Amino acid sequence: MTAFDYAPAPESASVVDIASSYGLFINGEFTDATSGESLKTINPATEENLAEVAVAGTEDVERAVRAARTAYERTWGPMPGPERSKYLFRIARLLAERSREFAVLEVLDNGKPIREARDMDIPMASAYFFYYAGWADKLDYAGRGANPRPHGVAGQVIPWNFPLLMLAWKIAPALAAGNTVVLKPAETTPLTALLFADLLQQADLPPGVVNIITGAGRTGADLIAHPDVDKVAFTGSTKVGKQIARQVAGTHKQATLELGGKAANIIFDDAPVDQAVEGIVNGIYFNAGQVCCAGSRLLVAESVADEVIDRLKARLGTLRVGDPMDKNTDVGAVNSAAQLSRITELANAGDAEGAVRWSAPGDLPEKGYWFPPTVFTEVSTAHRIAREEIFGPVLSVLTFRTPDEAIAKANNTPYGLSAGVWTEKGSRILAMADAIRSGVVWANTFNKFDPASPFGGYKESGYGREGGRHGLLPYLIEGGTQ
Ligand code: NDP
């Protein structure tokens, strides 16, 4: 099948003003870092420099945590739930109003297609604030007894794959529960968090309730280690998650960890093939596969495997890979040179171990970090590409003959974040959902999110839940009865 030729339809970057340099957002104001250090953030689709961003050192982390502690004790902690709720609603509304600005900035800093940032990241971020705004005055019903209490200061570290959305997943429930926040965005994607700081000023959020400190891994480690941080929330790699678990062990801090995944997307022989193919595409090529719950292992019934793979390849031939600012683009850039080299290294390991690589035809842009949508067949469960998180647009295909074999293969991983099941039979969906050891099992769909629905992992995918009532619980301490 050949792709139709579309004229370019680029979104304008003029809706957003990017400053040449940014300070830290502490106590309601932008301030210079005492460390005096900075880092550059670039557009991964073009390698152009976007801005210089301050790096928070130990003293800056100290200032941010102190501001959060003061705000917790003097303003946010004592504030009645209905009042906190009004601020959260205001943030949600402002995010919706300024959504185009946020979407464009997310695309420039992250490399994802504007279609995704515009239709998913930003509206979802706003929806999480709306959802948790509704909880702020109903905490007695959250499941921590009457009069539950917040922890105090939450230290939150987020990754680069959904920068603003992960910020919303972290900040909204923390504030609804009455905690104050110090948040560190990822080194390669700090800009929407800094624009969010500007939005907080617009919302008149009291100073110190949310502090945003940019920097690299060292800043995150300092924040997690700070003795006056009461609650830790982290999303990122399993390796760093394990370090954090060790760091907080034996302290008063409670941690929520959202880590990696190696999800099985399971196609039975009675699945509607065209819909399943769309689900496979959405599962692993959405955000160029840089998704913790990506459907990176395709388990397909042997009797329909050839048909599914043929139709999948035909569909991949129609995907448009390229300029993320173009509204026709389906697959954008990989977020960084480091991530591109990790993807390349693992894909090469797939070749070396005997799997068969197929990549969608088409030229990739010369500048920037790009990897074509790729499918590996002839994959065995022992291959690295079947075991390790690639975090890129690379699908590993395995086959199965019986439901038991599908379950055994799906669970044969150290991870347990998500899975997908495609079949016409409702009873089979329920049986598979019971047997698969992962936090989410999607049925005849994939990568669907809702603020009211909890999300999180088993095994090395982490612990604690985000979203829904369950996502409030880690931010609350059991209340005594009156
Ligand atoms: P990291 O886990 O290193 O980064 C996640 C966040 O943690 C970033 O803000 C990072 O800062 C920060 N950080 C790094 N080291 C520490 C530390 N010691 N203490 C506290 N915070 C720290 O992920 P990478 O960006 O290195 O990606 C590596 C791999 O991780 C990917 O290939 C992918 O497989 C997986 N990953 C999984 C994600 C998920 O959603 N589950 C998200 C991102 C990555 P900084 O960015 O400034 O270094």
Side-chain angles (χ1 to χ4, degrees):
M1 200 190 301
T2 50
F4 291 112
D5 281 333
Y6 279 84
E11 176 72 59
S12 165
S14 65
V15 289
V16 58
D17 287 325
I18 303 179
S20 56
S21 66
Y22 288 89
L24 309 169
F25 185 69
I26 297 178
N27 209 25
E29 289 173 354
F30 283 96
T31 118
D32 290 339
T34 40
S35 75
E37 291 170 37
S38 64
L39 52 84
K40 285 187 171 49
T41 184
I42 63 163
N43 180 341
T46 61
E47 298 177 53
E48 275 161 4
N49 192 21
L50 292 171
E52 193 106 359
V53 175
V55 171
T58 311
E59 270 182 54
D60 301 305
V61 172
E62 175 63 39
R63 278 197 297 148
V65 174
R66 213 179 313 128
R69 172 63 56 192
T70 306
Y72 174 67
E73 285 170 359
R74 302 210 185 134
T75 47
W76 199 249
M79 190 183 284
E83 294 305 310
R84 288 202 306 273
S85 175
K86 287 182 198 166
Y87 282 106
L88 290 171
F89 275 124
R90 197 181 293 168
I91 293 168
R93 270 200 315 274
L94 288 171
L95 272 175
E97 279 169 25
R98 296 176 65 178
S99 62
R100 192 145 166 247
E101 196 182 343
F102 275 93
V104 167
L105 190 59
E106 199 74 300
V107 171
L108 296 174
D109 208 15
N110 171 278
K112 65 175 66 204
I114 185 73
R115 192 167 62 82
E116 292 181 10
R118 182 197 61 197
D119 297 349
M120 156 58 184
D121 294 63
I122 312 304
M124 268 289 167
S126 173
Y128 273 78
F129 277 99
F130 265 115
Y131 176 77
Y132 282 112
W135 267 112
D137 61 349
K138 303 175 190 69
L139 298 179
D140 284 357
Y141 308 100
R144 285 271 189 256
N147 302 314
R149 287 179 295 117
H151 289 266
V153 175
Q156 306 181 320
V157 176
I158 55 170
W160 41 263
N161 52 346
F162 294 92
L164 188 76
L165 186 57
M166 290 301 103
L167 173 151
W169 282 26
K170 296 278 178 289
I171 294 183
L175 296 192
N179 302 273
T180 55
V181 164
V182 181
L183 176 128
K184 192 203 86 71
E187 177 180 347
T188 56
T189 53
L191 294 185
T192 45
L194 293 165
L195 187 62
F196 183 77
D198 175 76
L199 180 147
L200 294 180
Q201 288 180 327
Q202 190 185 356
D204 271 334
L205 189 75
V209 174
V210 172
N211 304 274
I212 293 179
I213 52 169
T214 44
R218 171 79 203 284
T219 305
D222 281 351
L223 174 60
I224 305 286
H226 195 288
D228 210 22
V229 165
D230 304 300
K231 159 83 191 119
V232 166
F234 170 80
T235 298
S237 63
T238 295
K239 181 169 157 255
V240 174
K242 284 181 180 176
Q243 281 172 25
I244 290 173
R246 280 194 288 272
Q247 226 178 327
V248 302
T251 71
H252 75 292
K253 294 172 196 176
Q254 298 204 0
T256 315
L257 303 175
E258 298 281 347
L259 311 176
K262 192 72 190 172
N265 201 1
I266 306 170
I267 317 290
F268 281 96
D269 56 2
D270 62 346
V273 175
D274 285 331
Q275 286 167 38
V277 164
E278 290 309 306
I280 297 165
V281 171
N282 179 31
I284 184 65
Y285 304 106
F286 171 65
N287 201 14
Q290 302 165 112
V291 183
C292 49
C293 52
S296 53
R297 284 186 301 152
L298 181 68
L299 301 188
V300 56
E302 198 177 87
S303 56
V304 293
D306 288 345
E307 184 191 355
V308 169
I309 300 304
D310 286 350
R311 287 211 220 174
L312 175 64
K313 287 178 179 172
R315 177 69 179 92
L316 294 181
T318 69
L319 290 184
R320 288 179 178 77
V321 183
D323 181 7
M325 289 286 276
D326 192 315
K327 290 168 215 159
N328 294 320
T329 293
D330 297 301
V331 180
V334 168
N335 180 247
S336 64
Q339 189 56 26
L340 179 59
S341 78
R342 271 192 287 263
I343 298 168
T344 307
E345 193 260 317
L346 269 163
N348 291 344
D351 297 330
E353 289 183 331
V356 176
R357 184 198 298 227
W358 179 91
S359 291
D363 296 332
L364 298 175
E366 278 172 18
K367 277 277 198 187
Y369 313 125
W370 302 92
F371 200 90
T374 294
V375 178
F376 275 101
T377 48
E378 312 289 325
V379 178
S380 93
T381 45
H383 288 166
R384 283 182 67 199
I385 54 169
R387 310 196 65 76
E388 295 179 30
E389 188 177 41
I390 301 175
F391 225 64
V394 181
L395 179 68
S396 302
V397 183
L398 298 110
T399 58
F400 68 87
R401 288 183 183 168
T402 64
D404 283 347
E405 189 186 349
I407 292 165
K409 284 184 168 164
N411 287 337
N412 183 7
T413 165
Y415 295 110
L417 195 53
S418 64
V421 178
W422 297 80
T423 170
E424 267 189 359
K425 296 187 185 63
S427 56
R428 183 178 272 165
I429 289 169
L430 295 174
M432 294 297 288
D434 266 353
I436 294 174
R437 195 80 179 134
S438 62
V440 182
V441 180
W442 284 293
N444 293 324
T445 187
F446 209 93
N447 273 341
K448 283 279 181 289
F449 289 92
D450 188 282
S453 177
F455 178 84
Y458 285 107
K459 302 194 280 186
E460 293 197 11
S461 292
Y463 42 76
R465 293 291 177 267
E466 292 187 302
R469 182 182 65 80
H470 300 77
L472 264 183
L473 297 180
Y475 289 99
L476 288 171
I477 300 173
E478 197 82 26
T481 45
Q482 283 191 323

